Amino acid sequence: MGEKLEQLKMHLTRPIDLLNAVSILNWDQEVYMPPEGVNARTEQLSTLNAMAHEIYTSEKTAKLLEAAEAEVADMAYDSDEASLVRVVRRTFDQQTKLPTDLIIRESRATSQGFAAWRQARAEKNYAIFQPHLREILDINLEKADCFGYERHPYDALLDQFEPDVKTAQIEQLFDDLKTGLVPLVQAIAAADPVNDNFLKDRDYDLDRQWDLTVLALRDIGYDFNRGRQDKAPHPFTVNFSTKDVRVTTRLSRNRPHTGLLSSIHEGGHALYEQGIPEKFERTDLAGGATLGLHESQSRMWENQVALSEPFWRHYYPIWRAFFPDQLADVNFEQWYRAINRVKPHFIRVEADEVTYSMHIFARFELEKDLMTGKLMVEDVPEAWNAKYQAYLGITPPDDALGCLQDIHWSHGTIGYFPTYTLGNLISAQLYAQAKQDIPGLEEGFARGEFAPLLDWLHNRVHRHGRKFTAPELLERELGQKMCARPLLDYMREKYTAIYHLA
Ligand code: ZN
């Protein structure tokens, strides 16, 4: 590696270390911190964020970056060196477009917004969160102006999470997906319903559920020497290095499979982070590339793997041994169909995989309307409920089950939701290829063997770290553009069998 690039790398370890410390404080805030710690934590977070921002956007960074750019100018686009410089340039440009006072205001607004959101959700009272959402939306509009955009202010925000993907492209992909989903959802609604009473009406011990989540995480390859699992009301994954990648989960006394799926989902994110090559540590190449790619990993482990028939051929006997009374009269077929039941739900994170994207269509449209001023912050609950009626045929009875259910806006993130559905689309594209490449892939799941899939993902996705955007990676590894077809094919095949559709 050249001298200039080495200097740039060393210089940027400081903001990277600071931001990893920010992540630890955030993790603590969501997992362990007592409620009254919030004000002091807010100050600590804004101080550290401001310090990281100052170093990252300094004159010194600008000079070192320019020198490093000259040094790598002749290197291949996909070399580690050129990729690192390109990623730093993208982050630097994004960060220098934001004035320090905006970063500080954002940090305060979101820390307080998070506390207000939690109270509002507990009290089912949107009014508590409304002024915070107004402030967060205004900050995001300011950010969009700072970043600049050609067509839609939403493009500017989306670009933070999914570079190279535009709002118009998402509209097209979502339209394709809607066109295929609507007849499938209708056919399922007209079919004989699946009985899942034995999930809802029975009591499943939480300690045993916990043990089953740990077992499955180990089996899919999550390394507990480089991670840990805790409980959090809104599960997430966070990493402070490739050697410390933590997951969280949420268990409930009934519907025990949801806790497992939550752990496996976060486990999928964590496998990605644990799979990042060590050579990228403490650089901007360490970590998952984009949110859509990240979500493709969690979704694949959650849906294509942990909700598949072969997966449960292996685990259902184990579950029955853990819950002998609750599952005594439940055969494999009943279990498999029940956990894959398709039914419109108020809560996104509890949605089945078929109706899941409907939740995203609603949020994507609401966010776009908020940004253009077509929708006012005070009218969000009403607009939210109207979308749910239109897409899912249900109206949330209160705002905790409606517009207050997600943490994202309270964290200041607008433009993030579409990446969930992009993740679903990409997961199906990658999985279709993995199935072709790995003979006996799913037969292996039935024996509890997941290493072949993890190895494949490591080779095709994880080892690149943040070198490529999602469109670049799909082009390189699959020779494809993002599309809806593989996801629709996968869902049609799976649910035609489950619901005995014609
Ligand atoms: Zn996720």
Side-chain angles (χ1 to χ4, degrees):
M1 183 169 301
E3 189 195 340
K4 301 293 175 196
L5 181 55
E6 195 52 48
Q7 285 172 4
L8 176 68
K9 270 175 75 172
M10 279 310 296
H11 172 64
L12 292 181
T13 55
R14 288 171 67 216
I16 289 170
D17 287 346
L18 285 167
L19 291 175
N20 281 323
V22 163
S23 294
I24 297 176
L25 293 181
N26 276 324
W27 170 83
D28 172 73
Q29 177 164 0
E30 284 176 44
V31 177
Y32 288 117
M33 192 187 77
E36 297 208 357
V38 65
N39 289 337
R41 184 56 49 89
T42 301
E43 298 305 328
Q44 293 152 3
L45 287 168
S46 39
T47 299
L48 290 178
N49 274 319
M51 283 169 70
H53 180 71
E54 267 167 39
I55 301 170
Y56 207 102
T57 57
S58 64
E59 204 46 48
K60 184 170 179 190
T61 307
K63 286 204 178 97
L64 289 171
L65 179 55
E66 267 177 40
E69 279 173 332
E71 198 174 70
V72 303
D74 295 331
M75 300 184 87
Y77 184 88
D78 61 357
S79 66
D80 291 350
E81 291 82 358
S83 298
L84 176 59
V85 170
R86 189 170 64 243
V87 169
V88 172
R89 167 58 70 191
R90 192 167 68 214
T91 312
F92 179 82
D93 285 349
Q94 224 165 37
Q95 293 284 310
T96 47
K97 286 178 181 169
L98 300 180
T100 306
D101 85 287
L102 180 59
I103 310 260
I104 293 170
R105 274 189 289 136
E106 184 185 30
S107 183
R108 289 224 174 91
T110 55
S111 200
Q112 285 164 1
F114 172 68
W117 163 76
R118 205 154 54 171
Q119 189 195 350
R121 191 170 77 152
E123 295 178 20
K124 302 175 184 172
N125 184 359
Y126 175 74
I128 297 170
F129 183 53
Q130 188 185 309
H132 296 272
L133 181 57
R134 176 76 255 168
E135 195 183 353
I136 285 165
L137 176 64
D138 286 343
I139 286 171
N140 270 281
L141 288 166
E142 269 183 76
K143 281 170 80 174
D145 282 339
C146 293
F147 291 143
Y149 54 87
E150 277 173 25
R151 290 180 137 193
H152 199 292
Y154 202 82
D155 283 338
L157 297 185
L158 181 63
D159 194 65
Q160 304 169 92
F161 311 114
E162 207 56 59
D164 277 3
V165 180
K166 297 281 179 251
T167 309
Q169 190 186 353
I170 289 184
E171 285 167 345
Q172 182 62 55
L173 284 166
F174 283 11
D175 278 348
D176 293 347
L177 189 55
K178 263 177 238 178
T179 309
L181 270 182
V182 169
L184 180 63
V185 172
Q186 284 170 348
I188 292 170
D192 287 339
V194 164
N195 175 13
D196 66 350
N197 290 339
F198 60 86
L199 293 173
K200 291 183 296 196
D201 301 343
R202 297 178 188 176
D203 188 42
Y204 296 82
D205 180 71
L206 293 181
D207 290 337
R208 290 187 179 200
Q209 286 191 46
W210 177 267
D211 291 345
L212 286 165
T213 65
V214 171
L215 174 76
L217 281 171
R218 278 190 210 288
D219 287 348
I220 64 171
Y222 177 74
D223 182 353
F224 276 90
N225 288 324
R226 295 191 287 147
R228 56 176 285 130
Q229 179 175 249
D230 290 275
K231 290 177 189 161
H234 187 100
F236 63 99
T237 303
V238 65
N239 58 292
F240 319 122
S241 73
T242 61
K243 303 278 171 57
D244 188 351
V245 183
R246 303 185 189 187
V247 294
T248 53
T249 193
R250 175 171 61 187
L251 306 177
S252 77
R253 296 200 72 92
N254 42 38
R255 297 172 53 77
H257 62 298
T258 59
L260 178 86
L261 293 173
S262 161
S263 285
I264 298 277
H265 177 98
E266 300 308 328
H269 285 302
L271 291 175
Y272 193 1
E273 295 292 339
Q274 288 187 338
I276 301 300
E278 206 177 337
K279 63 181 175 177
F280 294 155
E281 199 82 278
R282 285 180 99 204
T283 76
D284 276 299
L285 292 183
T290 72
L291 288 181
L293 278 170
H294 234 300
E295 197 65 10
S296 77
Q297 303 303 291
S298 56
R299 287 278 148 190
M300 186 187 299
W301 288 102
E302 178 186 2
N303 293 334
Q304 277 91 344
V305 179
L307 278 170
S308 74
E309 189 174 338
F311 180 92
W312 287 102
R313 290 279 173 212
H314 177 68
Y315 284 104
Y316 192 54
I318 299 171
W319 276 57
R320 272 185 118 170
F322 270 66
F323 298 114
D325 300 334
Q326 294 87 340
L327 297 176
D329 59 347
V330 180
N331 67 28
F332 175 83
E333 179 80 9
Q334 289 167 316
W335 171 264
Y336 172 64
R337 296 184 75 208
I339 61 169
N340 279 294
R341 182 182 185 194
V342 176
K343 189 170 188 286
H345 201 290
F346 299 121
I347 300 288
R348 172 182 63 84
V349 296
E350 291 181 18
D352 58 81
E353 59 181 328
V354 178
T355 57
Y356 184 88
S357 289
M358 306 287 191
H359 295 258
I360 301 303
F361 301 156
R363 285 158 178 76
F364 175 55
E365 290 163 14
L366 291 170
E367 286 188 336
K368 279 194 300 174
D369 288 349
L370 278 169
M371 291 208 64
T372 54
K374 217 171 127 187
L375 173 63
M376 294 289 119
V377 166
E378 55 270 30
D379 299 327
V380 164
E382 202 182 322
W384 182 285
N385 293 352
K387 293 279 181 207
Y388 267 67
Q389 192 56 49
Y391 278 121
L392 291 158
I394 52 176
T395 297
D398 60 59
D399 293 336
L401 290 169
C403 64
L404 291 174
Q405 64 182 274
D406 292 307
I407 203 169
H408 303 64
W409 292 344
S410 81
H411 272 178
T413 32
I414 296 177
Y416 183 118
F417 285 118
T419 67
Y420 288 117
T421 287
L422 294 182
N424 283 341
L425 301 176
I426 298 169
S427 75
Q429 290 181 264
L430 288 168
Y431 191 73
Q433 187 67 48
K435 244 173 109 168
Q436 269 186 36
D437 292 351
I438 309 168
L441 175 69
E442 293 182 338
E443 290 84 342
F445 296 168
R447 296 189 297 270
E449 293 166 13
F450 305 100
L453 180 61
L454 182 55
D455 288 347
W456 189 93
L457 290 170
H458 187 259
N459 263 322
R460 299 300 190 101
V461 181
H462 304 174
R463 75 182 168 91
H464 299 307
R466 297 183 63 216
K467 283 167 74 170
F468 307 114
T469 63
E472 283 173 351
L473 189 133
L474 287 181
E475 188 62 52
R476 260 181 91 84
E477 295 294 342
L478 305 182
Q480 293 175 15
K481 302 207 179 311
M482 266 186 237
C483 62
R485 173 60 69 81
L487 181 65
L488 285 168
D489 288 348
Y490 153 78
M491 289 199 293
R492 273 193 211 109
E493 190 186 330
K494 175 173 175 179
Y495 289 92
T496 295
I498 289 175
Y499 277 91
H500 313 303
L501 305 176

